[in-house]
């Protein structure tokens, strides 16, 4: 089992910033893709941002383009999400997804971290 733990969530005012961290641990040879998703109340889970292992490709959801930035540190098996210019619509549970494995890659999900944007 690969453990995925998100941290850094909390309550911020509109326009504020937060940085989320996603740390993966367990038995795997390498981590491939790492992605951030979020799910707001009553809505489907959506892709926020993701990176490939080589760092040459980063995707962002349309709703967060220009405001959020994802990065990763492969030596620490950690994915980050810098969230700027927060708006109330960003309120959601943010989940980290890690594609990793010893041979065949397998997706793993974290438990999620709550982010609330409110004055």
């Amino acid at each position: 089992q690969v453990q995925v733990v998100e941290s850094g969530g909390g309550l911020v005012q509109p326009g504020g910033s937060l940085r989320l961290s996603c740390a993966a641990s367990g038995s795997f040879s390498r981590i491939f893709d790492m992605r951030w998703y979020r799910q707001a109340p009553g809505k489907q889970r959506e892709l926020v941002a993701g990176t490939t292992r080589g760092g040459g490709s980063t995707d962002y959801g349309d709703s967060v383009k220009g405001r959020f930035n994802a990065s990763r540190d492969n030596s620490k098996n950690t994915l980050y999400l810098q969230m700027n210019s927060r708006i109330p619509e960003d309120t959601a549970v943010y989940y980290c997804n890690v594609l990793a494995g010893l041979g065949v890659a397998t997706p793993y999900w974290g438990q999620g971290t709550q982010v609330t944007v409110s004055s």
Side-chain angles (χ1 to χ4, degrees):
Q1 181 72 28
V2 174
Q3 292 78 45
V4 179
V5 179
E6 304 96 336
S7 62
L11 175 64
V12 298
Q13 294 183 340
S17 299
L18 281 176
R19 190 175 83 154
L20 304 182
S21 297
C22 170
S25 62
S27 299
F28 51 82
S29 60
R30 65 178 59 234
I31 296 177
F32 299 96
D33 296 340
M34 301 184 72
R35 297 180 181 273
W36 282 103
Y37 293 79
R38 71 182 183 184
Q39 187 167 23
K43 296 184 178 180
Q44 294 183 337
R45 188 172 299 183
E46 65 174 339
L47 174 67
V48 177
T51 63
T52 59
R53 179 175 179 81
S57 178
T58 303
D59 298 324
Y60 297 96
D62 291 337
S63 63
V64 303
K65 288 182 178 178
R67 300 188 297 118
F68 292 5
N69 182 60
S71 61
R72 62 190 291 176
D73 186 339
N74 289 328
S75 65
K76 299 179 180 179
N77 297 322
T78 301
L79 174 69
Y80 304 97
L81 181 66
Q82 178 67 44
M83 305 182 293
N84 302 317
S85 302
R86 302 298 306 280
I87 59 177
E89 288 74 15
D90 292 328
T91 296
V93 177
Y94 285 71
Y95 298 90
C96 180
N97 178 264
V98 175
L99 186 64
L102 295 173
V104 178
T106 303
Y108 297 91
W109 290 94
Q111 81 287 352
T113 184
Q114 176 70 49
V115 174
T116 302
V117 183
S118 177
S119 61

